[in-house]
Amino acid sequence: MKAWYKSLVAVACSGAILFGAGLGADPVQAKAINTQSFASVVLLPPQTNIPFQIQFVDGFKVNVTNGLTKAVSTFDVSANKATYVRQGVYQGNGKLAKKMNGFSQKLAQLIPYYDANGNLRWKGQQIIWGVNGEDRIAVATSVWNVVDQRPQLLSVSLQKADWDNLPSTEVDVNSGFSMGKDITYVLDTKYADVTGDGVKDHIFLIGDKMGSAMNLRADHLRVVVREGESNQQTFISVGQRDSGHLPKLAIAHGNPDGIKDILVTMPNATGDTYSLLTWKDNRPAAIVDQAQLNARSVYQPVIGAYGEAVAMKKGK
């Protein structure tokens, strides 16, 4: 298969902070985006980790206890009961056959984002596992503020995860990406099957910015798809309007073909801009013309918990 365009390999240029403790479209309502503060990836020391206790209980359920707040969340894992019975964790009637504890991912870094009100926040994610690394139970998402270079925890939530919207593990956010310029950075990543071959792909949002601060305006935004099956990389511009502050990716269904698509949110002080891309003829392509997608009389964004669009709803 021929690639539409090939991108080069990523280069190390993390820019992380280490803490010891005109298209004629109608923009979304403007935000009071603060671009004066320096925002980059926050690397956390081990003592900042949020601990969780994961315990299997009767009835094909798992209790997850936040080690800081002692709050308990219960998750139904009966969808995987055949495997648990085969592994000897449960009896067929749902009674626990042996004591079993799960484990959680360490919280190592925080990624900045703008929430729905334009506030600068940082997000951390920890996967909660059951019997092994293939047995994913939930994701703990923590929201932080950073004041005087000190991270402050605002909230923690646990939920069944949309596994297609977790980041790629191959490329770090805010690392450099070789595209013929030394100002091109990886701004966001996802790991999901967007080509429809049943193998997960690595999706990167890249752009040009004049420094390591992540909330600097990024221009020439492009989406790169690294196919999981072949490791082939192809890219596409997000459209004529191709800049934003802390732009984000979301994996969602944008057309009725049953294959996940790529939704880009580009925050700006004048309003958010969106692009919706799919995989077509062995390369990424726009599902909807960007001008039409950003006409609020035609499409309305569905905003997720962390400020970015998670779907586009077409008006009647």
Side-chain angles (χ1 to χ4, degrees), residues 1-9 177-181 184-186 194-195 201-208 219-227 231-239 242 249 262 264 277-286:
M1 182 188 67
K2 294 182 179 180
W4 184 39
Y5 288 105
K6 291 183 179 180
S7 64
L8 302 177
V9 296
F177 200 91
S178 180
M179 292 288 287
K181 295 181 179 180
T184 304
Y185 290 81
V186 177
V194 295
T195 60
D201 311 295
H202 297 273
I203 303 99
F204 313 134
L205 178 62
I206 64 173
D208 300 340
D219 299 308
H220 305 118
L221 296 176
R222 288 142 287 176
V223 169
V224 178
V225 177
R226 180 185 294 171
E227 296 178 62
N231 219 34
Q232 182 85 33
Q233 290 190 157
T234 59
F235 74 88
I236 185 175
S237 169
V238 299
D242 62 351
L249 294 171
I262 304 166
V264 183
L277 309 172
T278 191
W279 192 258
K280 183 179 180 181
D281 298 329
N282 293 325
R283 68 186 192 185

Side-chain angles (χ1 to χ4, degrees), residues 52-58 60-65 72-75 77 90 96 98-103 128-130 137:
F52 292 94
Q53 292 80 48
I54 300 95
Q55 184 177 22
F56 284 80
V57 296
D58 289 343
F60 296 108
K61 290 181 171 57
V62 174
N63 288 338
V64 181
T65 304
V72 179
S73 301
T74 301
F75 295 91
V77 295
Y90 283 101
L96 200 63
K98 61 181 179 181
K99 183 178 179 180
M100 177 64 66
N101 295 320
F103 56 103
I128 307 297
W129 289 285
I137 305 296

